[in-house]
Amino acid sequence: MLKKMFFSPFGETRTPYSVVRIMIVIVVISYLLKHCKKEKRPWWKNSIVYQIYPRSFHDTNGDGTGDLKGITAKADYLYDLGVKTLWISPFFTSPMADSGYDISNFVDVDPIFGSLADLDELLKTMHSKDIKVVLDFVPNHSSDEHEWFQRSLRREEPFADYYVWADPKGFSDSGNPIPPNNWLSKFRGSAWEWREERGQFYYHQYHRKQPDLNYRNLRLQEEIKNVLKFWMDRGADGFRVDALKHLFEVEDLSLDEPVNEEAGVEDNLQYNYLKHPFTMNQPETFEVVRDWRKMMNTYSDKWFTLCRDLTPPLAPWARLLIVQVYNKDIQDVVKYYGSDTDPLADFPFNFRIIKKLHNRSDVTGTRLMKIIDEWFDNLPEGKWPNWVLGSHDHSRVASRLGADLVDALNMLTLLLPGTPVTYFGEEIGMQDTEISWEDTKDPQGRNFGPDHYRKHSRDPCRTPMQWDATANAGFSKGPSTWLPVNDNYKTLNVKAQSEARESHLKVYKTLARLRQESSFAKGKLAFPVVTDEVLAFIRYLEDEPTYLVVLNLSENDVVVDLHQHTNLELPPDASVITRSVSDKSEENSPGPKVSLSALMLVKGEGLVLQLTFAKEIE
Ligand code: BGC
């Protein structure tokens, strides 16, 4: 009877089952067509990438360390914040010699962070909110506790050459083996560690518990690609590749690196004592990235052949590839973009603000302009910029460049064309935490001893997220936390800033919303005013509102006549959309018009204004 109720247009009878199938096909086709039409650019271009350091984000089991369930529990917060992509620092199995960057199993979750099931839940929750999840990928090294290393140590095949092993150069008078060359570890001291069991040294660019993998072994290369596939199968939307430039070393391991005379470093065990022509950016690195890119693209494309026009990187299911490379010469950074015909990473991080501005007095409009111009001028054709203010490796931007600049710098990075990368807590202006020698965990700090660790330790920027004013800043209900919480948590926290009338958090949310508007997402860019004190930029698009962002980067309150400094025809006034929280004046409160001939800005303030018109921009 039921069967008879379903008829096909062609006259034959259909079962309810086949009708359901037809409906599913229709839904899938309409979804694909909708996206084919709508998506004109890769999803990550409009997104903010929000970096979560999982150890410090939110602890749900009271052991004082953040966990994956803690990230999932904060999904609503992340959604409201307006960030559309999370990059989660390593949560893989690890003895934690370098806070999880020493991985002993690339395809499992460390119990302190939870389980694979917790990750699945996290991915499901974030995807249901249209938030993408990018994982940290650490290809340069593993932990010395990884099974591969243990078997390599015993010369077991096929693992014997999975790491960079070398014979000693000779033996000292006392019979001690001498390393094959003078290469130094980034964490201080020789980069070679002797293993009696094998009668050889192994190479470690970082901690001695982080032996470098040997990319000259093709089988190892395949193993590493399988790691990427494993996480993409589970739903990862992309990767942030750690320490990429160190993937290869020269083949001749007898070569010493030259002393870096210009650096003027006296400590001959410190990394910068040497130049590093043989241990970074070797040409083979690009081959490997090219291979990952190709694999990720075909991988993304696998199930969606119906939408052929929408091959990666345009597809909503395209996987994002970000690489971490620090190089002084910008050309050595931007070459990791590849080109349109030879795509490599979607972007290498732009660390120029971090690397070129070291303290409050370094921040001027002219210097920032130079940094911005440098990136745009060197950006390969068709590629997309990005802006980074901080990470788990650097002093927090509020402490490094100035707490008064928190909103202005967020305005800059969120409203310029490009993808901004926000390190967790930057949205509320979190600051570095003073950590005693006894509490210091970071091996980079510990290797310098109690007198010098402060200069090198990365712990101050890694302390727990400040959620509220309760014990442990609402980060953990346990008796203590893995690193101490900053003393300022009672006033500087998410809850206080959500309840305040004006706060960094509220400014950030406004900016995250604004950057979705066409004028910011696709609009053009002009810089009407650039002086040491003030940097102003305009974002505009035909038939869309025109915005003017004015930043007072000086350490004084100023009154600026924008008309005087610009050759653009600006209107007499503009209305305030948002401003730095430090500005309490009635004049600049959001809404009313302010005069562009006498614009008052307190020190470090940023103002986002909407113009009625701005002529002759081009
Ligand atoms: C990461 C560091 C880590 C190192 C070794 C870096 O580039 O960002 O946090 O210590 O790689 O994995």
Side-chain angles (χ1 to χ4, degrees):
M1 187 52 197
L2 191 64
K3 214 174 177 181
K4 291 231 172 85
M5 289 170 66
F6 295 90
F7 296 101
S8 86
F10 310 107
E12 69 200 84
T13 336
R14 295 260 176 216
T15 60
Y17 176 63
S18 46
V19 171
V20 170
R21 275 206 307 204
I22 291 171
M23 284 170 70
I24 291 175
V25 170
I26 293 173
V27 170
V28 170
I29 292 178
S30 17
Y31 173 82
L32 292 173
L33 288 176
K34 189 171 137 215
H35 280 280
C36 286
K37 282 214 189 92
K38 211 176 81 179
E39 296 291 325
K40 292 277 186 298
R41 55 166 62 192
W43 52 265
W44 46 268
K45 286 198 173 175
N46 281 352
S47 189
I48 295 171
V49 174
Y50 184 85
Q51 183 193 354
I52 293 183
Y53 195 68
R55 247 181 144 173
S56 289
F57 198 60
H58 184 44
D59 168 25
T60 56
N61 63 0
D63 65 357
T65 294
D67 41 50
L68 294 180
K69 280 190 172 145
I71 301 174
T72 309
K74 295 295 181 185
D76 285 342
Y77 172 75
L78 296 163
Y79 180 81
D80 290 343
L81 198 56
V83 297
K84 299 254 186 252
T85 303
L86 308 181
W87 147 33
I88 310 180
S89 291
F91 49 76
F92 316 108
T93 322
S94 164
M96 297 288 156
D98 183 22
S99 269
Y101 280 92
D102 49 318
I103 298 171
S104 53
N105 184 349
F106 286 104
V107 290
D108 206 351
V109 171
D110 193 280
I112 69 163
F113 295 117
S115 62
L116 280 171
D118 293 342
L119 180 74
D120 292 342
E121 188 57 31
L122 183 156
L123 288 164
K124 203 169 102 199
T125 309
M126 296 306 167
H127 288 164
S128 73
K129 295 185 175 297
D130 218 7
I131 296 176
K132 306 270 187 188
V133 181
V134 167
L135 306 189
D136 219 309
F137 170 49
V138 187
N140 181 63
H141 44 265
S142 74
S143 159
D144 63 342
E145 295 181 31
H146 196 293
E147 192 194 342
W148 296 344
F149 185 78
Q150 292 304 318
R151 300 180 73 171
S152 192
L153 193 56
R154 299 194 291 265
R155 295 186 192 259
E156 270 180 42
E157 290 304 346
F159 309 98
D161 288 334
Y162 271 27
Y163 294 84
V164 183
W165 292 100
D167 291 331
K169 189 154 83 179
F171 290 86
S172 67
D173 293 345
S174 48
N176 289 327
I178 303 168
N181 58 41
N182 70 344
W183 298 354
L184 290 171
S185 149
K186 282 224 160 144
F187 288 170
R188 194 169 184 269
S190 171
W192 294 97
E193 185 78 9
W194 174 253
R195 288 306 294 248
E196 200 59 49
E197 303 91 314
R198 186 164 157 148
Q200 279 190 309
F201 284 95
Y202 68 84
Y203 174 66
H204 59 95
Q205 176 70 69
Y206 292 89
H207 196 277
R208 62 177 176 74
K209 283 185 69 62
Q210 291 169 297
D212 273 47
L213 289 159
N214 175 19
Y215 278 80
R216 300 198 183 275
N217 181 319
L218 296 182
R219 197 182 162 116
L220 180 270
Q221 286 201 21
E222 283 309 305
E223 297 253 28
I224 287 293
K225 266 186 358 199
N226 289 339
V227 172
L228 293 174
K229 290 181 191 166
F230 176 87
W231 294 114
M232 288 194 289
D233 278 336
R234 281 204 112 84
D237 298 294
F239 301 96
R240 167 270 186 193
V241 185
D242 183 67
L244 179 63
K245 71 177 181 184
H246 297 299
L247 223 52
F248 282 87
E249 300 72 38
V250 284
E251 268 187 293
D252 181 354
L253 299 180
S254 69
L255 293 172
D256 278 345
E257 291 197 317
V259 173
N260 186 356
E261 307 287 357
E262 302 105 73
V265 174
E266 279 171 20
D267 173 5
N268 65 2
L269 293 180
Q270 200 172 317
Y271 184 66
N272 290 341
Y273 181 76
L274 299 178
K275 288 185 176 164
H276 306 289
F278 305 139
T279 53
M280 57 188 215
N281 296 322
Q282 301 302 308
E284 296 90 337
T285 313
F286 298 91
E287 294 299 318
V288 173
V289 182
R290 187 167 295 123
D291 198 33
W292 294 340
R293 171 86 275 168
K294 276 193 193 136
M295 187 269 286
M296 285 171 71
N297 283 359
T298 52
Y299 204 86
S300 310
D301 212 14
K302 208 150 102 188
W303 306 110
F304 295 91
T305 42
L306 270 174
C307 199
R308 286 221 173 272
D309 284 350
L310 205 54
T311 51
L314 284 187
W317 48 88
R319 306 308 212 275
L320 174 63
L321 187 63
I322 309 173
V323 297
Q324 182 213 34
V325 274
Y326 293 96
N327 281 311
K328 222 171 178 176
D329 183 342
I330 192 158
Q331 278 307 322
D332 287 338
V333 178
V334 297
K335 64 186 175 195
Y336 284 92
Y337 274 110
S339 65
D340 269 353
T341 50
D342 178 26
L344 299 174
D346 290 304
F347 56 82
F349 281 130
N350 174 356
F351 292 121
R352 310 310 269 190
I353 295 180
I354 296 180
K355 288 289 168 185
K356 299 206 161 195
L357 307 176
H358 304 288
N359 51 48
R360 181 63 182 89
S361 54
D362 280 351
V363 187
T364 66
T366 4
R367 287 211 184 112
L368 269 177
M369 189 68 247
K370 218 168 143 199
I371 292 173
I372 296 165
D373 272 345
E374 191 195 24
W375 197 266
F376 280 120
D377 292 348
N378 288 284
L379 196 62
E381 181 74 29
K383 300 294 175 184
W384 187 245
N386 73 94
W387 313 101
V388 186
L389 291 176
S391 84
H392 63 294
D393 288 333
H394 305 98
S395 160
R396 281 191 171 273
V397 64
S399 302
R400 188 176 4 109
L401 299 184
D404 60 322
L405 286 170
V406 165
D407 299 316
L409 291 176
N410 281 336
M411 285 173 193
L412 181 80
T413 54
L414 266 66
L415 300 182
L416 280 177
T419 298
V421 183
T422 294
Y423 180 51
F424 84 98
E426 274 173 11
E427 70 275 26
I428 55 169
M430 270 176 65
Q431 297 172 4
D432 286 343
T433 305
E434 164 67 25
I435 311 275
S436 68
W437 168 247
E438 292 68 36
D439 281 339
T440 294
K441 303 275 186 307
D442 181 20
Q444 182 169 283
R446 293 207 71 87
N447 280 354
F448 281 86
D451 294 336
H452 302 285
Y453 78 96
R454 277 198 178 80
K455 197 164 165 231
H456 303 276
S457 173
R458 297 165 296 178
D459 288 338
C461 69
R462 296 177 173 180
T463 60
M465 179 70 172
Q466 295 165 207
W467 293 105
D468 57 38
T470 63
N472 294 333
F475 159 73
S476 169
K477 294 224 179 317
S480 60
T481 56
W482 79 283
L483 278 179
V485 169
N486 196 307
D487 284 344
N488 65 14
Y489 79 92
K490 289 217 161 127
T491 48
L492 200 167
N493 63 61
V494 169
K495 186 160 185 279
Q497 295 199 15
S498 310
E499 289 164 359
R501 206 163 66 87
E502 292 181 60
S503 66
H504 296 313
L505 183 62
K506 290 195 167 163
V507 172
Y508 189 94
K509 285 185 184 177
T510 306
L511 300 175
R513 184 179 44 72
L514 272 177
R515 60 173 276 111
Q516 297 301 322
E517 285 192 17
S518 305
S519 309
F520 289 108
K522 301 185 198 135
K524 296 181 188 166
L525 172 70
F527 290 90
V529 179
V530 182
T531 66
D532 272 352
E533 284 183 333
V534 173
L535 178 74
F537 59 96
I538 294 184
R539 299 299 316 274
Y540 63 102
L541 190 67
E542 219 181 312
D543 300 328
E544 296 290 337
T546 298
Y547 292 98
L548 170 66
V549 182
V550 189
L551 312 176
N552 169 17
L553 300 159
S554 78
E555 295 178 74
N556 305 307
D557 299 353
V558 295
V559 180
V560 254
D561 177 356
L562 292 182
H563 296 110
Q564 210 185 57
H565 291 284
T566 181
N567 47 12
L568 299 183
E569 195 183 321
L570 294 173
D573 47 28
S575 44
V576 178
I577 302 295
T578 188
R579 62 170 171 181
S580 288
V581 291
S582 46
D583 184 349
K584 306 283 179 217
S585 71
E586 205 41 54
E587 295 88 330
N588 287 355
S589 57
K593 295 219 162 181
V594 287
S595 159
L596 296 186
S597 311
L599 196 59
M600 286 183 284
L601 296 137
V602 298
K603 76 182 190 78
E605 174 171 12
L607 264 182
V608 181
L609 306 165
Q610 187 174 336
L611 300 184
T612 41
F613 72 93
K615 281 193 193 153
E616 290 169 23
I617 286 174
E618 280 167 299

